[in-house]
């Protein structure tokens, strides 16, 4: 089974595409939201629940798995799919983002990045070649190149130097990949260049020459104003090949997903639905619910009357609030199940809307609502 991507339909009114990723671990309809399974587990979600939600692909973090339990051990145990008993698709990030977010613990050179483990302080080193090898040991279906995630704000000269380094690293990842590529898995390039359109353009062109199986837009959702993020996405998407999947990394809110899909993005990942769930922030068809609020103390209604998840079918807002305030483990389970159901249902509705050429109507509704949880989806 070769890795591949097909565009099945283009929405008449927007830049959105309906597509499918073919992976050795099954087909993935796009646009897709990938739940984040940091250390080989989506926090508070059983695999059975993910399967029941029809999650076809999850993201796992190379950095975390490399540190614990170690990619060599995972390889010995038959690869990540076998180790975690997940036979659907897995995308792994390169680990770069986690390394770079622990700023005080790392130093970057041309060769790669030296860093200290956030767990025990031990020293490690990631080179472009090494992160490809680690992800190969894990058996990921989609492998990401090592990149230097430019922080925001960055002056032009810093952003340019960072982007150029990412491009040299991308080339080295590509060369490493060529030696092992049998066509069943994918290596994605990552466009950098901060908020500078000409740098983004140079980055996209440099990666285009390297012929990756898919293209990601990185370095966004790192603190820049939302409008700027959309500007960058809008100006970068046309620089990416029509035939290849486009992945917007680390984004975002429900409204971000709808708007970015309309610009032509096919893939997303974000900790928002899972992390927010645990923090008491729940997405519903009627807007956000902050479950700790006193107004829910005696509210016997389901969290979201339009949601079919097991949480909404069975439990009241009052009970969920009680579980949250009591620090019960079950709260994380029920809230995460709901938020991920909300996200994955929304992606299904987005795909249906593209099929019917009606995604533009959604955008109109959202602009009226101006809410982070679009209503009337
Ligand atoms: Zn629900």
């Amino acid at each position: 089974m070769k890795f591949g991507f097909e565009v099945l339909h283009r929405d008449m009114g927007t830049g959105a595409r309906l597509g499918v990723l073919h992976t050795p671990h099954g087909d993935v309809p796009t646009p897709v939201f990938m739940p984040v399974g940091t250390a080989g587990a989506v926090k508070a979600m059983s695999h059975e629940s993910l399967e029941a939600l029809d999650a076809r692909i999850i993201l796992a973090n190379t950095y975390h798995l490399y540190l614990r339990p170690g990619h060599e051990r995972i390889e010995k145990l038959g690869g990540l799919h076998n180790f975690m008993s997940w036979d659907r698709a897995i995308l792994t990030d390169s680990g770069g983002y986690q390394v770079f977010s622990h700023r005080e613990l790392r130093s970057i050179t041309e060769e790669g990045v030296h860093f200290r483990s956030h767990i025990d302080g031990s020293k490690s080193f990631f080179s472009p070649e090494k992160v490809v090898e680690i992800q190969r040991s894990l058996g990921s279906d989609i492998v990401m190149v090592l990149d230097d995630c430019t922080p925001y704000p960055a002056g032009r000269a810093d952003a340019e130097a960072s982007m150029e380094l990412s491009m040299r690293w991308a080339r080295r990842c590509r060369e490493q990949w060529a030696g092992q590529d049998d066509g069943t898995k994918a290596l994605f390039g990552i466009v950098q260049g901060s908020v500078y359109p000409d740098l983004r353009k140079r980055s996209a062109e440099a990666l285009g020459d390297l012929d990756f199986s898919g293209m990601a837009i990185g370095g966004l959702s790192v603190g820049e104003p939302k409008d700027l993020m959309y500007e960058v996405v809008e100006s970068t998407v046309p620089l990416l090949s029509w035939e290849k999947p486009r992945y917007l990394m680390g984004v975002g809110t429900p409204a971000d997903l709808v708007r970015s899909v309309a610009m032509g993005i096919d893939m997303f990942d974000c900790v928002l639905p899972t992390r927010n769930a645990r923090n008491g922030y729940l997405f519903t068809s009627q807007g956000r619910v902050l479950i700790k609020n006193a107004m829910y103390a005696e509210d016997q209604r389901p969290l979201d009357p339009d949601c079919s998840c097991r949480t909404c079918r069975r439990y009241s807002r009052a009970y969920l609030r009680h579980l949250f305030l009591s620090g019960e483990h079950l709260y994380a389970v029920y809230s995460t199940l709901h938020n991920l159901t909300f996200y994955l249902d929304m992606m299904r509705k987005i795909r249906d809307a593209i099929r019917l050429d009606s995604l533009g109507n959604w955008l109109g509704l959202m602009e009226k609502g101006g809410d982070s949880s679009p209503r009337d989806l």
Side-chain angles (χ1 to χ4, degrees):
M1 177 80 195
K2 296 262 180 212
F3 179 88
F5 177 66
E6 282 179 86
V7 178
L8 304 173
H9 181 72
R10 175 176 181 166
D11 182 65
M12 298 279 280
T14 71
R17 309 110 62 81
L18 187 72
V20 59
L21 290 167
H22 302 293
T23 84
H25 291 92
D27 283 355
V28 180
T30 63
V32 64
F33 177 82
M34 301 181 283
V36 177
T38 304
V42 176
K43 289 193 197 316
M45 278 292 279
S46 67
H47 294 3
E48 287 82 357
S49 295
L50 286 167
E51 286 157 1
L53 265 184
D54 202 27
R56 302 286 187 93
I57 181 168
I58 59 171
L59 176 145
N61 290 127
T62 294
Y63 170 83
H64 291 281
L65 294 169
Y66 164 81
L67 291 178
R68 190 169 54 195
H71 61 291
E72 284 158 352
R73 176 166 294 163
I74 291 175
E75 186 174 25
K76 225 183 277 171
L77 295 170
L80 185 56
H81 290 88
N82 193 57
F83 176 55
M84 66 183 279
S85 184
W86 173 259
D87 64 7
R88 301 184 178 187
I90 298 176
L91 178 148
T92 45
D93 63 4
S94 69
Y97 184 80
Q98 275 78 26
V99 170
F100 294 115
S101 42
H102 299 289
R103 303 192 140 264
E104 66 289 2
L105 300 176
R106 51 96 173 139
S107 71
I108 303 169
T109 66
E110 181 65 33
E111 197 45 39
V113 53
H114 295 269
F115 62 98
R116 282 181 181 276
S117 156
H118 73 288
I119 301 170
D120 60 8
S122 60
K123 285 187 190 168
S124 286
F125 175 66
F126 276 174
S127 67
E129 292 81 8
K130 187 164 169 188
V131 299
V132 168
E133 282 312 303
I134 296 170
Q135 293 176 83
R136 186 198 55 73
S137 310
L138 296 175
S140 319
D141 299 293
I142 301 178
V143 168
M144 302 302 297
V145 298
L146 182 66
D147 63 335
D148 180 23
C149 184
T150 314
Y152 180 86
R156 203 199 132 80
D158 287 345
E160 182 172 20
S162 162
M163 181 276 283
E164 294 288 2
L165 178 64
S166 288
M167 296 307 101
R168 292 192 296 275
W169 285 358
R171 181 175 295 275
R172 286 166 56 188
C173 286
R174 187 71 186 82
E175 281 163 12
Q176 183 71 19
W177 183 254
Q180 60 177 55
D181 180 20
D182 61 3
T184 60
K185 311 223 163 150
L187 177 69
F188 279 26
I190 305 175
V191 178
Q192 289 287 348
S194 186
V195 297
Y196 304 97
D198 61 315
L199 297 183
R200 289 275 172 186
K201 182 160 188 286
R202 267 168 53 197
S203 178
E205 284 167 0
L207 296 174
D209 293 342
L210 296 173
D211 196 24
F212 290 100
S213 301
M215 293 281 270
I217 302 177
L220 290 179
S221 210
V222 291
E224 75 284 0
K226 198 73 107 180
D227 287 350
L228 203 47
M229 179 186 94
Y230 286 127
E231 268 175 43
V232 173
V233 173
E234 194 161 29
S235 61
T236 305
V237 164
L239 307 170
L240 308 177
S241 161
W242 173 263
E243 283 82 31
K244 293 178 182 175
R246 304 159 175 169
Y247 166 25
L248 180 56
M249 302 177 80
V251 174
T253 65
D256 290 338
L257 302 195
V258 178
R259 288 187 65 175
S260 306
V261 164
M263 292 175 182
I265 299 291
D266 307 300
M267 302 168 67
F268 302 89
D269 78 283
C270 191
V271 294
L272 208 59
T274 41
R275 182 179 292 165
N276 277 12
R278 299 195 302 279
N279 292 333
Y281 186 123
L282 301 163
F283 296 95
T284 81
S285 58
Q286 298 162 339
R288 67 169 192 196
V289 166
L290 302 178
I291 200 68
K292 71 168 185 222
N293 285 352
M295 64 191 283
Y296 304 120
E298 296 183 359
D299 190 337
Q300 301 207 57
R301 292 175 297 168
L303 182 54
D304 185 347
D306 294 333
C307 178
S308 62
C309 84
R310 280 182 283 120
T311 303
C312 292
R313 283 207 311 258
R314 183 157 189 174
Y315 304 109
S316 66
R317 295 174 176 188
Y319 183 60
L320 291 171
R321 176 175 184 272
H322 161 71
L323 294 181
F324 177 73
L325 293 177
S326 311
E328 285 293 334
H329 291 306
L330 267 180
Y331 167 75
V333 174
Y334 296 150
S335 60
T336 304
L337 175 68
H338 168 76
N339 269 3
L340 274 183
T341 301
F342 182 86
Y343 264 63
L344 296 193
D345 276 354
M346 185 180 70
M347 297 314 290
R348 258 186 290 278
K349 289 173 191 165
I350 286 177
R351 293 193 295 269
D352 289 344
I354 298 172
R355 200 174 282 118
L356 299 170
D357 292 313
S358 64
L359 193 71
N361 300 345
W362 278 39
L363 286 177
L365 284 172
M366 271 173 35
E367 270 149 29
K368 256 186 261 160
D371 192 56
S372 68
S373 275
R375 291 153 191 256
D376 305 319
L377 300 186

